[in-house]
Amino acid sequence: MKKYSIMKQPGQLTFILIVTAVAFLACSNDATDDLSTDEEAEDDTPTELHAAFEAFNADAVTIFLDGSDVVIETTGLPDHETVYWGEDSDLYKEEPEVRLTPTRITDRNQAATITVDASPDLTGNTVSTELGIIGIAVSGSYIFNDQEGNGALDQAAGSLDWTGAHIGPSVYHYHLEPKAFTDDDAELVGILLDGVFLYGRKCNSTGTYPTDLDSSGGHTHATQYSDGEEEYHYHIINELYSTTGSYIAFAGPFQGY
């Protein structure tokens, strides 16, 4: 009966055909929109690591992409001399002025893995740093903030080696400018947990101490690894810390969460 009425009434048939065609086109457009959205989402996923990762110690650090994340696995073993290697190591450095902690690098497993966003979220939110690992340095060892235990770093400053690091209850780590690989220059220090890279006290673009840093020591500029493109990154702030004669590596807050 329904078929018959359609066949006998051309006006209604035309109307139905038009409605059907419009519905088909709408569905086609929806499918195209969905496909475009999926393609855009895929385009946002990085296909290669940032060039700055080439500066990391390949003997200690393994870095790979996992979707939109960067996974960084490290032995935690630094590739430079320090008294904390112990006298049996070829990398032992005699430092009689250092008030040694009881532990040496080889006394415990130093390995750890961190995962960071390949594209840090720089929407204006800030997160305070906490005790423990806040980043991985190019040497393969770790970056800590300006605190030690339950207080300021001052109480443990005497135990820091020539490159601003020591080993406590956990792992060998830098609190101060790590002079083993950046000393009053623009060299890469490492990457922090929010996915933002940390550089030395000078700006590679100008060769001078930057004057436009935010509260975290960050600004947006081209770096030696960004191929001329401007990107947000941190610098060690050029302000001496207490009586150490050196500079805090990073106190925070994080800007990339």
Side-chain angles (χ1 to χ4, degrees), residues 185-187 199-213 219-235:
D185 55 38
E187 294 299 312
Y199 291 82
R201 286 183 280 142
K202 289 184 177 177
C203 177
N204 183 71
S205 296
T206 63
T208 59
Y209 306 120
T211 58
D212 59 345
L213 299 180
H219 70 169
T220 301
H221 246 298
T223 74
Q224 58 267 50
Y225 300 105
S226 66
D227 194 25
E229 296 291 326
E230 292 191 342
E231 63 180 22
Y232 183 81
H233 58 276
Y234 301 122
H235 286 278

Side-chain angles (χ1 to χ4, degrees), residues 80-85 91-100 158-165 172:
H80 57 73
E81 294 182 335
T82 171
V83 65
Y84 284 105
W85 268 114
L91 290 175
Y92 172 74
K93 178 182 177 68
E94 188 174 355
E95 299 182 75
E97 73 283 1
V98 175
R99 189 177 69 245
L100 293 172
S159 66
L160 299 176
D161 63 14
W162 71 282
T163 189
Y172 181 79

